Structures are given as C-alpha cells and as structure tokens.
Amino acid sequence: MSTYRDFTLAHRGAARGTVLRTIGTRERRSHLTAPRVPTVGIDIGGTKVMAGVVDADGVILEKIRTETPDKSKSPKVVEDTIVELVLDLSDRHDVHAVGIGAAGWVDADRSRVLFAPHLAWRDEPLRDALQSRLAVPVMVDNDANTAAWAEWRFGAGRGEDHLVMITLGTGIGGAILEGGQVKRGRYGVAGEFGHMQVVPGGHRCPCGNRGCWEQYSSGNALVREARELAAADSPVAYNIIARVGGNVAEITGPLITELAREGDAMCVELLQDIGQWLGVGIANLAAALDPSCFVIGGGVSAADDLLIGPARDAFRRHLTGRGYRPEARIAKAQLGPEAGMVGAADLARLVARRFRRATRRRVERYERYERYVQQLGRRDTTGPTDATDPKDTEQQ
C-alpha cells in the first residue's frame, strides 16, 4: 500500500508537467467543458504587473496591480512579486489555477520565457519555478496570445473562427486564433508581426533590424514623430509645445490622442499616418493568413476612429485582390488593458480542468490498489482460521 503511495507522490510533479504540456494540442472548444471555477490571471509588462481573480464568464472579481521590478534585478525578484500577488488574492478567493501573460517569447510547451525585452528573463523556467511555490497549476503564455484569447471568448472576436489580434503599445504584438485554438508556431513564437520589415533600410529597431513595422505604427513611432517636430520647433507643433511647457520629453501618446480629439491638426495627422501604416501591415497579414477578423488592441487603440478609420482605408487600398475577395472585419478590442489578464485566467482554467482529471485518475487508481490489497489481506487472514488441523481433531 505504501509502495503505490510513494510511487504516486514521486511522479506527481512529472504527471502535472505532462498535463500542462498537452493543453496546447487540445485547446479547441475545450473551454466549453472547463470547470467553472475562479482562477487568477497575471499580465506582466515592462512597467506594471496586473493580477486579478476572474470567473468563468470573464468577469473580474478583484484586481490588484504593482510596478514591475526594475529589469536590472534578478528574475527571482519578479517571481517573488507574482507569488505575493497570488497569495494576496488567495486570501480572499478560492483560486484553482494561475495563468501568466508575459511580455516576451514563450516556448511551445509554455513553460519557459525564452526572451523578454523589458525583463531579465533569458530562457527562464518560469512555470516550474512558480509551481514549486504555489499549490495550484500554472500556465505561462505570451501576453498577446492571452489578450487575443480573451477577445475571442468575451470581446470583439466572439463568433469568429479565424481571428488575428494586433496589439499597439510601445511596439506591436500579435496573435493568431483558428478554430478556437491559439496558433503558436513550432517554437512558440508566432505572431511577432511588429518585426516584419516594411521599409528596407528604414528606422533602426531595438530588435537589431531596420524598417520593422512597429517603427512606423506603434506608440513609440507616434511619440517619436511628435517629439521630432517639436524639437525642430515646427510651426505645426506650437500647440503641443505649449502644452508641455517646452519640455519635449513630456510628450506622450495619451497627450497626442487627447490633443487630436480636441482638433489639433498635427496630432490628427500623426494618428492618420500611424493608422495608414497599420492598414498596410494588416493588408500584408490578410494576404498571408486570410482571417475573417482583425482585432486592434493595446494602448494606442484608445484613439478609436482617429486611428482605425485611416487603417481601414489603407487596408482596402493595399489588399491583394481587392474588389474580388471578401474583406476581413477590422474591430477595436473591447476588453481594454485587462484583456491579457482575463485571457490568462481563462486559459489557466483549461489547465485546472485537466490537472483535476489527472488527479482524479490517480486517486481512482490508488483506490483500486487499496481495494486489491485489502482483498489480499482478507484472503491471508481467513485462510488458516477456516481450515481445521487434523492433529487438533486427534487430540480432542
């Protein structure tokens, strides 16, 4: 009896890892039968860590956030921050699993963060490190994948079988969903649309190449153009220069969007430029992937039609086979900055279901083993007592 128990305990970690690794190939429609239990989703970016308890309908029950530890600090510091947030939420909620949406490249097994540009993660075994400290299963994925999953489940992408999400923030992230499954690629790093080269020999990108898409259609591109005009003391920039008191470094994306809504001609034009480049990139993706819907998320999408209107126009002008093929729908994301957190929690719910199934099977096997041992024990004890020794009969 103890032998089987020891075997079960020794292999529990390996079994959990196997369950977690198989989730990627069995995602399709599995959310329909996932347990309706609360899970924690965590969105880790370059400046903030947001954690929340999310129910099976995508409703956030509680949310907390903190600043991301400085990237010069060790990965252990970020891990400690995640654990503290989960334990804090667990004090008030019955948490069954934890999902992590990380701003970086995550391997196909969703266990290691291969590279994170804003954190000191280089081939970091994040899932195993967290599982060793938390009493629930952990799922790790790219933050754009988790945001796309949330929009497909609860937001602008509901009902779509072929969806591409583009997140416009500091750079450009992306994700592909087909038939209810996130397409991660052979090595887990699909969807890095921001580093498609659209201008040979163009602006230098932090990735090391030149002319990447995110250098022309992202928050960084928007701010760079505005600051260059302001630094050159351009007449069209006088309004924004006055707004920041001449301190060009204080020009931000939200400020540009605010002034554009107020009718500032330069800010409107800058958003139009960003939107046109966005439409060009979307047309390229449509030629390659042919989705039915593009969902535009990220902080820059807050500009609404100031950005998405020009993107739709440019998309129609540059679409291959325009006029002879159906056009994909272009929609603004609905879940806002919480999308990555909600999606991570919902994907973690799938892990919770499979881990619970694996645990139930192990318990059933153990119970069968217990019954078998008890039957053997009864045979051993009843055999000699039921038999009558002939010598005893002679003595009587």
Side-chain angles (χ1 to χ4, degrees):
M1 184 162 57
S2 60
T3 302
Y4 184 85
R5 187 187 302 274
D6 293 341
F7 175 83
T8 301
L9 292 174
H11 290 76
R12 181 171 296 170
R16 174 181 289 187
T18 301
V19 169
L20 292 169
R21 281 194 297 273
T22 59
I23 180 176
T25 59
R26 300 173 57 190
E27 239 169 33
R28 180 180 173 86
R29 305 193 188 285
S30 56
H31 64 282
L32 298 174
T33 55
R36 297 183 64 82
V37 294
T39 50
V40 168
I42 298 179
D43 185 16
I44 307 173
T47 58
K48 65 171 176 56
V49 180
M50 183 188 303
V53 179
V54 182
D55 70 12
D57 297 315
V59 177
I60 300 172
L61 305 179
E62 184 181 354
K63 178 180 68 175
I64 54 179
R65 59 180 292 170
T66 186
E67 292 184 357
T68 303
D70 186 85
K71 67 179 181 180
S72 64
K73 297 179 181 178
S74 70
K76 179 70 162 49
V77 177
V78 183
E79 178 188 316
D80 290 342
T81 301
I82 296 170
V83 170
E84 289 171 6
L85 292 174
V86 173
L87 294 179
D88 185 6
L89 292 169
S90 298
D91 288 340
R92 297 178 295 282
H93 302 274
D94 183 18
V95 175
H96 291 255
V98 175
I100 309 290
W105 291 5
V106 179
D107 69 356
D109 287 340
R110 282 182 285 174
S111 61
R112 310 178 75 88
V113 181
L114 302 176
F115 172 77
H118 304 294
L119 294 168
W121 282 340
R122 304 294 184 268
D123 199 27
E124 181 67 22
L126 183 62
R127 186 190 70 191
D128 293 341
L130 291 174
Q131 278 184 177
S132 67
R133 301 178 61 178
L134 299 171
V136 293
V138 176
M139 185 280 309
V140 180
D141 207 340
N142 172 264
D143 57 348
N145 288 342
T146 61
W149 179 267
E151 291 292 340
W152 177 71
R153 287 273 284 125
F154 310 111
R158 282 175 293 185
E160 300 287 352
D161 283 335
H162 296 79
L163 178 148
V164 170
M165 184 164 185
I166 299 166
T167 56
L168 302 178
T170 302
I172 295 180
I176 307 164
L177 272 83
E178 182 177 336
Q181 184 176 352
V182 179
K183 298 296 184 180
R184 297 181 175 83
R186 173 62 182 84
Y187 304 106
V189 296
E192 292 295 332
F193 307 138
H195 298 289
M196 298 187 302
Q197 293 183 332
V198 296
V199 180
H203 291 295
R204 176 72 71 181
C205 181
C207 76
N209 293 325
R210 288 186 178 273
C212 291
W213 186 25
E214 70 176 37
Q215 292 304 306
Y216 300 88
S217 184
S218 67
N220 270 357
L222 180 66
V223 172
R224 182 192 67 227
E225 295 296 315
R227 288 179 177 177
E228 286 181 359
L229 286 169
D233 204 24
S234 170
V236 300
Y238 283 170
N239 192 19
I240 198 169
I241 291 172
R243 182 65 68 93
V244 298
N247 187 353
V248 174
E250 292 185 4
I251 295 176
T252 63
L255 175 60
I256 297 169
T257 299
E258 178 186 341
L259 290 174
R261 288 197 177 116
E262 295 174 2
D264 181 89
M266 183 198 78
C267 293
V268 169
E269 183 177 338
L270 290 177
L271 283 170
Q272 288 176 342
D273 290 344
I274 297 297
Q276 288 171 5
W277 276 112
L278 176 60
V280 170
I282 291 175
N284 290 339
L285 291 174
L289 302 173
D290 191 30
S292 59
C293 177
F294 288 95
V295 176
I296 312 302
V300 183
S301 68
D304 299 317
D305 278 344
L306 290 168
L307 172 80
I308 295 178
R312 290 192 180 108
D313 293 339
F315 171 67
R316 295 187 184 102
R317 290 197 308 271
H318 292 88
L319 180 63
T320 302
R322 50 193 174 276
Y324 297 95
R325 60 180 289 176
E327 289 185 7
R329 180 169 65 95
I330 300 176
K332 181 191 172 186
Q334 295 179 358
L335 301 183
E338 287 84 16
M341 179 185 73
V342 171
D346 199 60
L347 284 168
R349 191 168 290 107
L350 307 181
V351 178
R353 184 193 68 176
R354 293 192 176 100
F355 180 65
R356 289 169 69 182
R357 283 182 175 177
T359 302
R360 185 170 64 249
R361 286 194 294 268
R362 288 197 299 273
V363 170
E364 290 172 352
R365 287 196 299 268
Y366 176 73
E367 289 175 347
R368 287 197 299 269
Y369 179 80
E370 286 268 320
R371 290 194 296 270
Y372 172 72
V373 171
Q374 290 173 2
Q375 291 172 359
L376 287 179
R378 283 196 296 270
R379 292 174 185 171
D380 292 341
T381 56
T382 59
T385 56
D386 291 343
T388 303
D389 192 335
K391 293 182 179 179
D392 293 338
T393 304
E394 291 176 359
Q395 291 175 358
Q396 292 175 355

